[in-house]
C-alpha cells in the first residue's frame, strides 16, 4: 500500500533513519516507504535492522552506533552512496534507564547523554554538512514529552532530551538561511520495547504493579489510550513533506494531549 497521494513531493526522496530497527523508528521507516521514500535503516542491532528492512520494504540496513562519529559517519556515507543521495535525516535512536535522582550513577547519566544527545548531534551534523552543499534537506529528531517537562525517575533521560530540543532550535536557526528545516517530535507514552522496559523498572521503583503503571500512563492521556509508534510516524512524515514547508525549530507534541504547550 502506498501513501504517495498524500505527499507527492516525497516520492523518490531518500532518507536515513537511525534506530529504525524497532519501535518508533521502525514505524517511521514504514511510513516513509509508504510515501515513496527510499529509506536506509542505521541501527546498533544489525539483526533486527535487517529483519525490519525486509518486513517494511526499506532499501537496506546498516549497523551503526550513533555514539561513535566514525561509525555513524561511515553508515551515512554508505547510505548516500547506495541511495544515490540523501534528502531526509531522521535522528531517532535513543535509550532510557530509570532510577531515583539520588541513586543515579555516572554511567547512567553518561549513557543516556551519549546516545540521546551526542547521537543526535553527530547524526544531524554529518547529514547537515551534505545538505548545506545541496542547499536543501530536512531533519527530524525524536525528542520526548520528557524534553518539555522533567519526568520523575527519568531525570538524566529528561535532561538529555531537553538537550535535543535546545540543539534542534539552534540548528534550525543556523540552517534556515541555507534551505534546511530542522524539527523534532515529542512523543508521550508509546507502546514499544523501551516502554516495556520502563514499565518493569517503574513498577519496581514505585512499588506498584505493572498494570497500575500502565493505568497511570493512560490516565494522564486525555485521548485515553497508550500511544502507538504509528501515531508518531505519521507526524514525522508530515514534517518531512512540503506541507510543513514553513515549520522549523519546532518540538511538536504527539502525546494524545498529555502536554499542550
Ligand atoms: N517509547 C516511548 O514512550 C518514547 C516516548 C518519547 C520518546 N521516545 C524516543 O523515541 C525514540 C525511539 O524509542 P523507542 O521507544 O522506539 O525505543 P526502542 O528501544 O523500541 O527502539 C530504539 C532503537 O534504537 C536503537 N539504538 C539504541 N541505541 C543505539 C545506538 N547507540 N546507535 C544506533 N541505534 C541505537 C535500538 O537498537 C532500537 O532499534 C528514542 O529516541 C526514545 O527516546 C520514546
Amino acid at each position: 500500500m502506498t501513501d504517495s497521494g498524500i505527499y507527492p513531493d516525497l516520492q523518490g526522496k531518500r532518507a536515513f533513519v537511525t534506530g529504525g530497527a524497532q519501535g518508533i523508528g521502525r514505524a517511521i521507516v514504514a511510513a516513509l516507504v509508504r510515501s515513496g521514500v527510499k529509506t536506509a535503516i542505521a541501527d546498533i542491532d544489525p539483526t533486527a535492522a535487517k529483519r525490519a528492512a525486509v518486513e517494511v520494504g526499506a532499501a537496506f540496513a546498516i549497523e551503526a552506533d550513533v555514539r561513535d562519529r566514525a561509525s555513524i559517519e561511515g553508515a551515512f556515507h554508505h547510505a548516500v552512496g547506495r541511495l544515490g543521495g540523501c534528502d531526509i535525516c531522521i535522528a531517532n535512536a535513543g535509550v532510557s534507564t530509570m532510577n531515583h535522582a539520588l541513586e543515579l550513577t555516572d554511567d547512567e547519566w553518561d549513557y543516556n547523554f551519549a546516545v540521546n544527545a551526542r547521537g543526535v548531534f553527530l547524526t544531524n551534523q554529518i547529514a547537515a554538512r551534505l545538505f548545506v552543499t545541496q542547499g536543501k534537506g530536512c531533519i527530524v529528531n525524536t525528542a520526548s514529552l520528557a524534553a518539555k517537562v522533567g519526568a520523575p525517575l527519568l531525570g538524566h533521560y529528561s535532561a538529555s532530551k531537553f538537550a535535543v530540543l535546545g540543539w534542534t532550535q539552534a540548528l534550525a536557526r543556523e540552517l534556515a538561511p541555507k534551505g534546511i528545516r530542522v524539527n523534532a517530535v515529542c512523543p508521550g507514552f508509546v507502546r514499544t520495547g523501551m516502554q516495556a522496559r520502563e514499565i518493569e523498572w517503574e513498577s519496581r521503583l514505585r512499588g506498584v504493579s505493572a498494570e497500575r503503571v500502565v493505568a497511570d500512563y493512560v490516565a494522564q492521556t486525555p485521548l485515553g489510550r497508550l500511544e502507538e509508534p504509528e501515531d508518531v510516524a505519521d507526524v514525522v512524515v508530515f514534517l518531512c513533506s512540503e506541507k510543513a514547508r514553513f515549520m522549523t525549530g519546532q518540538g511538536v507534541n504527539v502525546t494524545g494531549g498529555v502536554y499542550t504547550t
Side-chain angles (χ1 to χ4, degrees):
M1 198 177 63
T2 163
D3 290 349
S4 55
I6 307 176
Y7 303 117
D9 57 285
L10 288 180
Q11 189 71 42
K13 290 256 167 77
R14 293 126 332 161
F16 179 77
V17 181
T18 69
Q22 295 166 68
I24 294 169
R26 185 183 188 281
I28 292 170
V29 172
L32 285 169
V33 168
R34 282 197 303 274
S35 295
V37 179
K38 286 200 285 175
T39 306
I41 297 175
D43 201 286
I44 201 167
D45 182 340
T47 310
K50 282 192 189 107
R51 192 171 50 236
V54 170
E55 285 171 1
V56 306
F60 53 89
I62 321 159
E63 181 174 358
D65 183 345
V66 297
R67 294 170 291 184
D68 181 88
R69 180 179 287 276
S71 172
I72 194 66
E73 193 156 34
F76 182 75
H77 290 307
H78 177 88
V80 169
R82 284 183 66 182
L83 294 171
C86 186
D87 311 284
I88 295 166
C89 167
I90 311 290
N92 163 82
V95 294
S96 70
T97 58
M98 278 186 134
N99 209 344
H100 295 289
L102 303 192
E103 309 294 334
L104 261 179
T105 64
D106 296 1
D107 283 350
E108 278 177 284
W109 180 274
D110 291 345
Y111 176 54
N112 279 255
F113 267 79
V115 181
N116 300 346
R118 178 184 164 86
V120 168
F121 151 62
L122 291 176
T123 306
N124 284 186
Q125 188 190 59
I126 290 159
R129 284 177 175 159
L130 171 72
F131 292 169
V132 165
T133 68
Q134 301 173 166
K136 61 181 177 163
C138 171
I139 294 173
V140 181
N141 297 325
T142 306
S144 176
L145 166 64
K148 295 280 180 83
V149 58
L153 306 175
L154 284 165
H156 52 319
Y157 175 83
S158 278
S160 72
K161 291 293 186 176
F162 269 69
V164 170
L165 276 195
W167 162 258
T168 299
Q169 290 176 7
L171 190 67
R173 285 171 190 264
E174 277 197 44
L175 298 186
K178 301 182 189 304
I180 298 155
R181 295 186 301 105
V182 187
N183 290 293
V185 283
C186 298
F189 301 111
V190 192
R191 222 150 51 111
T192 66
M194 176 183 283
Q195 183 184 76
R197 291 187 292 276
E198 289 185 356
I199 290 168
E200 215 177 295
W201 293 325
E202 188 170 340
S203 155
R204 185 167 38 78
L205 290 163
R206 287 175 55 201
V208 299
S209 69
E211 292 72 25
R212 170 70 192 279
V213 172
V214 173
D216 287 348
Y217 292 165
V218 175
Q220 289 176 68
T221 308
L223 286 177
R225 63 165 169 82
L226 289 180
E227 187 166 347
E228 298 295 338
E230 291 72 23
D231 296 325
V232 187
D234 284 345
V235 176
V236 171
V237 175
F238 161 73
L239 288 171
C240 294
S241 79
E242 262 299 293
K243 301 275 187 213
R245 61 193 167 274
F246 211 56
M247 292 179 72
T248 200
Q250 302 304 302
V252 180
N253 297 325
V254 191
T255 65
V258 180
Y259 192 79
T260 50
T261 52

